[in-house]
Amino acid sequence: MAFSRYLIILALVTGCILPSGVQALWPIPTTLETGMTTLKISPTFYFDVQIEGPPSDLRDAVAQSQHYLENDKLGRLVVGRGSNDTSALATARTLSKLTLSLASGVAAEPISSEAVKPLGTRSEEYALIIPADGSAATLTANSTLGLYRGLTTFNQLFYYYGGVTYTLLAPISIKDTPAYPFRGLGLDTSRNYYPVCDILRTLDAMSWVKINTFHWHITDSQSFPLEVAQYPELSINGAYSPQEVYTASDVQYIVQYAAARGIDVMMEIDTPGHTAIIAATYPEYVACSDASPWADFANEPPAGQLRFALPEVMNFTASLLTNVAKALPSHYFSTGGDELNTNCYANDYLTEQQLNRTGMTLNGALDTFTQTTHGALIAQGKTPVVWEEMVLDWNITLSNETIVMIWISSADAAAVAGRGFRIIHAPSNYFYLDCGAGEWLGDDPTGNSWCDPFKTWSKAYTFDPLANLTEAQYELVLGGEQILWSEQSGPQNVDPIVWPRAAASAEIFWSGKQPTGAALNVTEALPRLHDVRYRMVQRGINAIPLQPQWCALRPDACDIYA
Amino acid sequence: MAFSRYLIILALVTGCILPSGVQALWPIPTTLETGMTTLKISPTFYFDVQIEGPPSDLRDAVAQSQHYLENDKLGRLVVGRGSNDTSALATARTLSKLTLSLASGVAAEPISSEAVKPLGTRSEEYALIIPADGSAATLTANSTLGLYRGLTTFNQLFYYYGGVTYTLLAPISIKDTPAYPFRGLGLDTSRNYYPVCDILRTLDAMSWVKINTFHWHITDSQSFPLEVAQYPELSINGAYSPQEVYTASDVQYIVQYAAARGIDVMMEIDTPGHTAIIAATYPEYVACSDASPWADFANEPPAGQLRFALPEVMNFTASLLTNVAKALPSHYFSTGGDELNTNCYANDYLTEQQLNRTGMTLNGALDTFTQTTHGALIAQGKTPVVWEEMVLDWNITLSNETIVMIWISSADAAAVAGRGFRIIHAPSNYFYLDCGAGEWLGDDPTGNSWCDPFKTWSKAYTFDPLANLTEAQYELVLGGEQILWSEQSGPQNVDPIVWPRAAASAEIFWSGKQPTGAALNVTEALPRLHDVRYRMVQRGINAIPLQPQWCALRPDACDIYA
């Protein structure tokens, strides 16, 4: 058996790189040993689930894996797309089954239960062994969630040529576990609406690269597409149309669909800013509603923010958030807190009156508001998540458990960690998928994107989760996510603007480093990311080409210094 | 009757803008008078073609127009999407037919014949009258091509709400004719391949905004997807795969599909640079083939350029171009000529030998090569089209008829016009659709797009076709086009990266100015462009949202200084 560990050492010694297509896994596993034997999938191949009373979502996952195995039909990304493999295939041994089992004594819970446990308590690791001699492959884990992760790896191992599904890499031995517990993708469904089917398709693609959190920025100033049973007028008046609503059953369907794919849905109802549309239902709760010029009162039109100083607004918001949050299985709920504009309250009579009456400052009132809404969430067993300004600009009193999302700049992570909060990296200078599409405001033909330039996959991939942190702060880093803000996006472009770019952070936070222990490296990664992209296309995702196909078939030939 | 000419004057006087949705036409007609009467399409509405022996493509176009009228079902882009129109609809008169006729004495030629006539000899103008009283609407023109243009206008006039298709603008009177004869869209199908169906869909969208030329950059250094009967190995060896080929019948199908939609196909086989892939078939014809480092020899990998100094290469190229061109109905054929890299020949023995033998300079040889290839095309009745370097960098002897495309910078138009050549504007600083997507070369994580930033629709829309030209040179401007180069594009993102942006140049070169005579203006245009985009989405094009839907429903509310 010639394991690739040997090949890797050889590669390091000789300075050469591994043959194209040798490792097409994404994210790259923690440990990975591969050989050079061709092994093909038997026509009678099956998944042997050695688990008593397998949960239905595990059975569904196995059926999905079988479907991908039969239908991916991805040709290797080399010139000829595998036509040179025919002689090896003629004499290759066949693999007849993959046995799935849980560690002894582990009871099989549904994937969807495992997927929504608190961060740090989920078991995502798995071990996958594929012998070269055709004997059964084995996938073992401590949880159904781990088995699910292993199945996504298994599917990435196989190519197709001339009616045969095969790998050139047997024997294969993988032990894999994520570097960080939180690996997300953010989507804004307020600026423009995404039909449920587009969200489901996105969840599928997320699952393929082991992303485990869907950060759903569901509402904003522009529209309120979320149906809330206790406050039905919010979506009746706030959605773009009756067709552009996520009903309670839509949300439950999405949450369940996600969980069955190992994905927790962390919803965000951004407050107290980004709430102008609430004025369509509760005008008395919103200050500077549609005030003009909007740019004096908000970062985007329309202006309007919750009058957070008023007790009735605090109570309404706490009730709204808890009513939404308690219907969700996730332990996490984001209350937002970004881009609060104080001009909005400067001449707001009701706010001024309340502050005068109570002797509070605006900042103090925001503190009370946040404690009220967070207190209500915590009482429901939820962990609040906020944007960085709550800590860095407003110094709000937050529970130690609160998770803080970095967005303005990657440079802000250290300051938040310095305050002892756990952090999620979503820095605009690396991870914002919408940057670089030009100014979207009207009447500004020469304007650029505020976060210009476009963040390529490779720029995102150079992100260091631990930069500027002390070793003692490393444990505060839960992970990170790329986000699509939707001022200029919708179902029409969600696939190409997100994929395969969002796989960059998925690997940073799952793999952390290469199996050799070396740091992640864009040159090593690019051929594998092409592979991810081409496989996504085979599965119906409109993932964008990263390069001319000529380059995709010739690793490194299109490097800038090649 | 309250015509909008009056309203426009009113608007100018009061500084207010016309009601939302009043004018949703794109490109905006030369003259346009509208009223304020609601008129709905009768359930028995029909197109009355008063033409003897109507060509089959005109009949198809009428059927298509009928289909759009029945199926667009576009709600007006106002809050409520037309729900406020119900009372007006209840009492509205109905329109029962549109009569199509040609000017007296005009024989009906197929649209597809009219569409491929020489520039300046096509008749695209039409007149469309829709009375307010429900009497028959009329569409008249001097050609079937003009009728076709009028049908695309007719379809843009109608909205849908609650089962009714209607306009609020009757009576409507339009006389319309293009400002420029050439209005194109360029697509590179070499860096990445586009299946035929994606090209057809793109042609449909082009026709809706009256674009009349598909500039098909079909081959380049990375792949040669064009099947050429006389040189079959070019695509056998040069296409990415046997499935990624445009067969001769594919090309004919595309050309015919385009022509029936009023679109001429101007093909480009870029020479003598951008030809590396020809080495896969004729290695002896290509210098510096796959030379390393590629960046010393080419703007993109792989390196490789035709050995244009060799007589056999001249003859091969002339034969190749004419064999391709003569199968196309278009009068125009582009031989390219951009980005020629002289390093490629500096140490090329065969080229040096030939130059020594003949006493020619490299520039002189390029002159001979171009005269040979162009001479062959001219002999076939074709007008050669070249990129600007042929004139500005190489001072090549070109026929006066040659059309020169500007791409490096809009500033170069004046110099080319100064040489007396007719020009097509395709400046990268306004019209390149691929800019701003980041560096695509590998191993360059901090690199940006060479033509960063992204060219928004509004940036493109501010392009002035006559900038820096003398009045005497105005007639040299044939028109212009936006182009998608495909290093980072493919069928996965062609819709959202092209649409609705490419409508910007379509209007610049059709309308030239507003019906009032005022210059085109992004603020006036944006609501109409939203309309184009939403209608495209209704017809199955994944056109990108330009703004949050909140803005699309509220003209000017999201202007930067609103």
Side-chain angles (χ1 to χ4, degrees):
Chain A
M1 287 197 299
F3 281 124
S4 71
R5 182 170 286 173
Y6 168 73
L7 284 174
I8 288 165
I9 291 165
L10 189 74
L12 291 172
V13 169
T14 63
C16 71
I17 58 150
L18 296 171
S20 157
V22 159
Q23 294 175 348
L25 302 177
W26 192 287
I28 195 83
T30 315
T31 69
L32 170 63
E33 296 179 344
T34 56
M36 300 180 71
T37 302
T38 304
L39 184 67
K40 54 190 179 186
I41 294 290
S42 165
T44 62
F45 178 90
Y46 70 106
F47 291 80
D48 180 11
V49 182
Q50 294 278 3
I51 292 166
E52 214 159 313
S56 67
D57 57 11
L58 179 63
R59 278 184 279 128
D60 292 347
V62 166
Q64 180 74 78
S65 187
Q66 177 87 41
H67 177 81
Y68 291 146
L69 193 66
E70 291 169 4
N71 293 284
D72 277 359
K73 296 188 174 172
L74 175 63
R76 289 206 299 129
L77 292 185
V78 294
V79 175
R81 303 301 297 271
S83 57
N84 294 336
D85 301 337
T86 42
S87 60
L89 289 175
T91 59
R93 301 207 177 194
T94 59
L95 178 65
S96 295
K97 72 169 175 177
L98 173 68
T99 301
L100 283 75
S101 59
L102 290 171
S104 70
V106 172
E109 278 189 69
I111 298 168
S112 40
S113 304
E114 301 279 355
V116 300
K117 289 183 174 176
L119 292 169
T121 71
R122 298 175 207 163
S123 174
E124 297 190 88
E125 75 252 33
Y126 65 92
L128 175 63
I129 294 178
I130 303 177
D133 62 1
S135 58
T138 59
L139 173 59
T140 55
N142 294 320
S143 74
T144 55
L145 181 59
L147 293 175
Y148 185 78
R149 300 296 176 224
L151 287 172
T152 66
T153 303
F154 183 75
N155 280 117
Q156 289 181 340
L157 289 166
F158 296 97
Y159 296 98
Y160 179 89
Y161 186 82
V164 182
T165 300
Y166 64 101
T167 175
L168 301 179
L169 300 183
I172 297 168
S173 175
I174 292 171
K175 287 187 99 168
D176 200 10
T177 188
Y180 294 89
F182 183 104
R183 306 175 307 278
L185 178 69
L187 183 68
D188 154 23
T189 61
S190 170
R191 272 61 173 249
N192 282 299
Y193 178 85
Y194 296 75
V196 171
C197 65
D198 295 288
I199 293 177
L200 300 181
R201 191 177 68 255
T202 302
L203 290 166
D204 277 323
M206 290 162 64
S207 74
W208 303 335
V209 291
K210 301 185 173 60
I211 290 176
N212 72 357
T213 310
F214 174 44
H215 169 205
W216 192 354
H217 182 94
I218 194 166
T219 63
D220 210 295
S221 279
Q222 287 83 359
S223 79
F224 200 103
L226 174 62
E227 180 186 88
V228 183
Q230 291 76 3
Y231 303 101
E233 296 85 0
L234 286 173
S235 60
I236 291 172
N237 301 322
Y240 282 136
S241 74
Q243 291 73 44
E244 289 162 298
V245 168
Y246 302 107
T247 66
S249 75
D250 288 340
V251 171
Q252 288 307 316
Y253 191 81
I254 287 169
V255 164
Q256 176 57 35
Y257 192 94
R261 283 153 184 79
I263 298 168
D264 189 21
V265 176
M266 180 180 84
M267 194 178 277
E268 174 180 354
I269 296 188
D270 203 346
T271 62
H274 292 273
T275 47
I277 199 69
I278 291 177
T281 302
Y282 302 107
E284 68 279 18
Y285 290 177
V286 176
C288 73
S289 178
D290 222 358
S292 178
W294 61 264
D296 287 353
F297 303 98
N299 280 26
E300 290 186 2
Q305 299 179 156
L306 286 174
R307 288 184 164 118
F308 57 79
L310 307 193
E312 61 269 34
V313 174
M314 292 191 206
N315 293 336
F316 159 75
T317 309
S319 167
L320 170 63
L321 299 185
T322 51
N323 272 305
V324 173
K326 73 183 182 194
L328 302 169
S330 180
H331 284 78
Y332 306 95
F333 193 90
S334 173
T335 63
D338 57 317
E339 299 187 314
L340 192 60
N341 188 309
T342 53
N343 278 352
C344 177
Y345 304 107
N347 295 304
D348 184 54
Y349 175 71
L350 290 176
T351 296
E352 273 185 58
Q353 188 183 43
Q354 177 67 14
L355 295 180
N356 288 340
R357 185 183 304 143
T358 59
M360 272 186 162
T361 62
L362 193 69
N363 207 335
L366 183 60
D367 206 276
T368 303
F369 170 85
T370 307
Q371 288 183 54
T372 302
T373 55
H374 282 199
L377 286 169
I378 291 167
Q380 294 284 346
K382 305 295 180 182
T383 300
V385 180
V386 296
W387 293 110
E388 60 172 282
E389 292 102 310
M390 287 287 106
V391 172
L392 299 181
D393 292 358
W394 297 96
N395 195 23
I396 296 298
T397 309
L398 298 168
S399 149
N400 289 339
E401 290 301 299
T402 309
I403 296 169
V404 181
M405 298 190 64
I406 311 300
W407 74 273
I408 296 174
S409 166
S410 54
D412 297 341
V416 174
R419 300 282 292 277
F421 291 106
R422 294 181 296 168
I423 60 178
I424 293 169
H425 290 292
S428 56
N429 53 327
Y430 284 88
F431 285 171
Y432 270 25
L433 297 166
D434 55 310
C435 298
E439 180 59 271
W440 57 267
L441 292 165
D443 206 18
D444 187 29
T446 61
N448 282 341
S449 167
W450 74 268
C451 53
D452 212 50
F454 184 84
K455 309 306 173 216
T456 58
W457 78 269
S458 52
K459 169 71 178 175
Y461 196 72
T462 60
F463 179 76
D464 175 0
L466 305 178
N468 306 317
L469 302 183
T470 65
E471 230 169 289
Q473 292 168 340
Y474 288 177
E475 65 175 14
L476 296 174
V477 178
L478 294 176
E481 65 176 48
Q482 287 165 278
I483 310 188
L484 181 60
W485 299 106
S486 297
E487 287 85 355
Q488 294 157 296
S489 287
Q492 293 78 26
N493 70 324
V494 61
D495 282 13
I497 203 168
V498 170
W499 302 112
R501 270 197 298 162
S505 61
E507 179 153 291
I508 291 170
F509 295 108
W510 176 282
S511 310
K513 53 183 173 45
Q514 296 187 48
T516 59
L520 297 179
N521 173 292
V522 293
T523 307
E524 184 281 327
L526 176 55
R528 289 187 294 108
L529 191 58
H530 277 307
D531 228 277
V532 172
R533 180 263 167 185
Y534 276 82
R535 198 176 291 273
M536 283 185 169
V537 170
Q538 295 294 99
R539 294 182 187 172
I541 300 287
N542 280 323
I544 205 169
L546 299 172
Q547 295 187 316
Q549 185 156 302
W550 190 90
C551 307
L553 303 183
R554 293 166 180 85
D556 299 311
C558 295
D559 285 358
I560 195 160
Y561 299 116
Chain B
M1 285 197 300
F3 280 122
S4 72
R5 182 170 283 171
Y6 168 72
L7 284 173
I8 288 165
I9 292 166
L10 189 73
L12 292 170
V13 168
T14 62
C16 72
I17 58 151
L18 294 172
S20 159
V22 159
Q23 294 176 349
L25 302 176
W26 192 289
I28 195 83
T30 315
T31 68
L32 170 63
E33 294 179 346
T34 56
M36 299 180 73
T37 300
T38 305
L39 186 66
K40 54 190 178 185
I41 295 290
S42 164
T44 61
F45 178 90
Y46 69 107
F47 292 80
D48 180 13
V49 182
Q50 295 277 4
I51 293 165
E52 213 159 319
S56 67
D57 57 12
L58 179 63
R59 278 186 279 128
D60 292 346
V62 166
Q64 181 73 77
S65 188
Q66 176 90 40
H67 176 81
Y68 291 146
L69 192 66
E70 291 168 4
N71 292 283
D72 277 0
K73 296 188 174 173
L74 175 63
R76 288 206 299 128
L77 292 185
V78 292
V79 176
R81 303 301 297 275
S83 57
N84 294 336
D85 301 338
T86 42
S87 61
L89 290 175
T91 58
R93 301 205 176 198
T94 59
L95 179 64
S96 296
K97 72 170 175 176
L98 173 69
T99 301
L100 284 75
S101 59
L102 290 170
S104 71
V106 172
E109 279 189 70
I111 298 167
S112 40
S113 304
E114 301 279 355
V116 300
K117 288 184 173 175
L119 292 169
T121 70
R122 298 175 207 162
S123 173
E124 298 190 88
E125 76 254 30
Y126 65 92
L128 175 64
I129 293 177
I130 304 177
D133 63 359
S135 59
T138 60
L139 173 60
T140 54
N142 293 320
S143 75
T144 55
L145 181 59
L147 292 175
Y148 185 78
R149 300 294 178 224
L151 287 172
T152 66
T153 302
F154 182 74
N155 281 117
Q156 290 180 342
L157 289 167
F158 296 98
Y159 295 98
Y160 179 88
Y161 187 84
V164 181
T165 300
Y166 64 100
T167 174
L168 301 180
L169 301 183
I172 297 168
S173 175
I174 292 171
K175 287 188 97 166
D176 200 11
T177 188
Y180 294 89
F182 183 104
R183 305 173 306 278
L185 177 70
L187 183 68
D188 154 24
T189 61
S190 171
R191 272 63 174 247
N192 282 299
Y193 178 84
Y194 296 75
V196 171
C197 65
D198 294 288
I199 294 177
L200 300 182
R201 191 178 67 256
T202 302
L203 289 165
D204 278 321
M206 289 162 64
S207 74
W208 303 334
V209 291
K210 301 184 173 61
I211 290 176
N212 72 358
T213 310
F214 174 43
H215 169 206
W216 192 356
H217 182 93
I218 194 168
T219 64
D220 210 295
S221 279
Q222 288 83 359
S223 80
F224 199 104
L226 174 64
E227 180 186 87
V228 183
Q230 291 77 5
Y231 303 100
E233 297 85 359
L234 286 172
S235 59
I236 291 171
N237 302 321
Y240 282 136
S241 75
Q243 291 73 46
E244 289 161 297
V245 167
Y246 302 107
T247 66
S249 74
D250 287 340
V251 171
Q252 288 307 315
Y253 191 81
I254 287 169
V255 164
Q256 177 56 35
Y257 192 94
R261 284 153 184 77
I263 298 168
D264 189 22
V265 177
M266 179 179 85
M267 194 178 277
E268 173 181 355
I269 296 187
D270 202 348
T271 62
H274 292 271
T275 47
I277 199 69
I278 291 176
T281 302
Y282 302 107
E284 68 279 19
Y285 291 177
V286 176
C288 74
S289 177
D290 221 358
S292 178
W294 61 263
D296 287 353
F297 303 98
N299 281 24
E300 289 185 6
Q305 297 178 158
L306 287 173
R307 287 183 165 119
F308 58 79
L310 308 192
E312 61 269 36
V313 174
M314 292 191 207
N315 293 336
F316 158 76
T317 308
S319 169
L320 170 65
L321 299 185
T322 51
N323 272 304
V324 173
K326 74 184 181 193
L328 302 171
S330 180
H331 285 78
Y332 306 94
F333 193 90
S334 173
T335 64
D338 56 319
E339 299 187 314
L340 192 60
N341 187 310
T342 54
N343 278 351
C344 177
Y345 305 106
N347 295 304
D348 183 57
Y349 175 72
L350 290 176
T351 296
E352 274 185 56
Q353 189 183 45
Q354 177 67 14
L355 296 180
N356 288 339
R357 186 183 303 143
T358 58
M360 271 187 166
T361 61
L362 193 69
N363 207 336
L366 183 61
D367 206 278
T368 304
F369 170 85
T370 307
Q371 288 183 54
T372 303
T373 55
H374 281 200
L377 285 169
I378 291 166
Q380 293 285 348
K382 307 293 181 183
T383 300
V385 180
V386 296
W387 293 110
E388 60 172 280
E389 293 101 309
M390 289 286 107
V391 172
L392 300 181
D393 291 358
W394 297 97
N395 195 24
I396 296 298
T397 309
L398 298 168
S399 149
N400 289 340
E401 290 300 299
T402 308
I403 296 169
V404 180
M405 297 189 66
I406 310 300
W407 74 274
I408 297 174
S409 166
S410 53
D412 297 342
V416 173
R419 301 281 293 279
F421 291 106
R422 294 181 296 168
I423 61 177
I424 293 170
H425 291 291
S428 55
N429 53 328
Y430 285 88
F431 285 171
Y432 271 26
L433 296 168
D434 55 312
C435 298
E439 178 61 272
W440 58 267
L441 293 165
D443 207 18
D444 188 29
T446 60
N448 282 341
S449 166
W450 75 269
C451 53
D452 212 48
F454 184 87
K455 309 306 174 217
T456 58
W457 79 268
S458 51
K459 168 71 178 175
Y461 195 73
T462 60
F463 180 76
D464 175 2
L466 305 178
N468 305 317
L469 302 182
T470 66
E471 231 170 289
Q473 292 167 341
Y474 288 178
E475 66 174 14
L476 296 174
V477 178
L478 294 176
E481 65 176 47
Q482 286 163 281
I483 311 187
L484 181 61
W485 300 104
S486 297
E487 287 85 354
Q488 295 157 295
S489 286
Q492 293 78 25
N493 70 325
V494 62
D495 282 12
I497 204 169
V498 170
W499 303 112
R501 271 197 297 163
S505 61
E507 179 153 291
I508 291 171
F509 295 108
W510 176 282
S511 310
K513 54 181 173 49
Q514 296 186 48
T516 58
L520 297 178
N521 173 291
V522 292
T523 306
E524 184 282 328
L526 176 55
R528 290 188 293 108
L529 191 57
H530 277 306
D531 228 276
V532 172
R533 180 262 168 185
Y534 276 81
R535 198 176 291 272
M536 284 186 168
V537 169
Q538 295 294 97
R539 293 181 187 174
I541 299 287
N542 279 322
I544 206 169
L546 299 172
Q547 294 187 318
Q549 185 156 303
W550 190 91
C551 307
L553 302 185
R554 294 167 180 84
D556 299 310
C558 296
D559 285 358
I560 195 160
Y561 300 115

